[in-house]
Amino acid sequence: MTGPDRDRDAVGRARQGRPRDALGRPLPYGAEGVEPVSEEPLPPEETLAAARELVGAGRPFSAHEVLEARWKAGPVEERDLWQGLAQVCVAMTHAARGNQVGADRLFDRAAERLTAFEATGRWAYGLDVNAVIEQARSHVGKL
């Protein structure tokens, strides 16, 4: 740890050094948290599979981290896809933490980004983007 609030690597980039619970909340150093996910981007299909598995295991925050790594490493033309999916996972995290207002806002933003991506007609690696958009919109105000 290089400062009182952030863990950083040798070149100063923020890294996950502190343990976290299943919803991404930091735990005290030395506490047992969930296994951290790799901060290295996965190929697109592996990213989707890992995110699905993490959401299914009740770890939407970790799924967001996997998707975020892909969005930051991927082509700009796919940014709305990966960022929208990451926002869905953050919205799920907020909802699970009891923050309905935050969840609603992020589900809305996610639906907007995914709609923008869908309008491009680009391949989404087999993902039914319209179904994700419908799910995001259906969650607003209902969790």
Side-chain angles (χ1 to χ4, degrees):
M1 188 160 115
T2 61
D5 299 313
R6 297 295 300 251
D7 292 310
R8 300 207 177 263
D9 65 14
V11 294
R13 289 187 302 257
R15 295 292 181 213
Q16 322 168 30
R18 206 166 156 185
R20 294 186 176 267
D21 70 9
L23 293 177
R25 293 175 288 227
L27 299 170
Y29 285 99
E32 188 172 332
V34 296
E35 183 70 27
V37 296
S38 172
E39 294 182 38
E40 296 301 317
L42 299 170
E45 290 88 353
E46 289 179 41
T47 298
L48 291 172
R52 283 184 183 117
E53 183 177 320
L54 288 161
V55 167
R59 295 181 58 193
F61 182 83
S62 294
H64 143 265
E65 290 181 320
V66 168
L67 292 160
E68 182 179 59
R70 178 77 249 147
W71 121 45
K72 290 181 177 180
V76 70
E77 299 84 16
E78 294 181 2
R79 182 178 179 139
D80 282 336
L81 171 65
W82 301 113
Q83 194 169 22
L85 294 172
Q87 287 175 324
V88 166
C89 293
V90 174
M92 293 169 68
T93 301
H94 279 292
R97 291 177 178 176
N99 178 3
Q100 186 62 47
V101 172
D104 287 351
R105 287 181 182 155
L106 280 161
F107 278 128
D108 279 340
R109 285 187 211 153
E112 289 171 16
R113 283 200 182 275
L114 292 169
T115 298
F117 177 81
E118 184 67 11
T120 70
R122 291 181 62 86
W123 171 243
Y125 305 97
L127 180 70
D128 184 346
V129 177
N130 282 322
V132 178
I133 293 166
E134 288 177 25
Q135 282 290 337
R137 287 187 175 141
S138 73
H139 284 306
V140 175
K142 296 183 181 180
L143 296 172

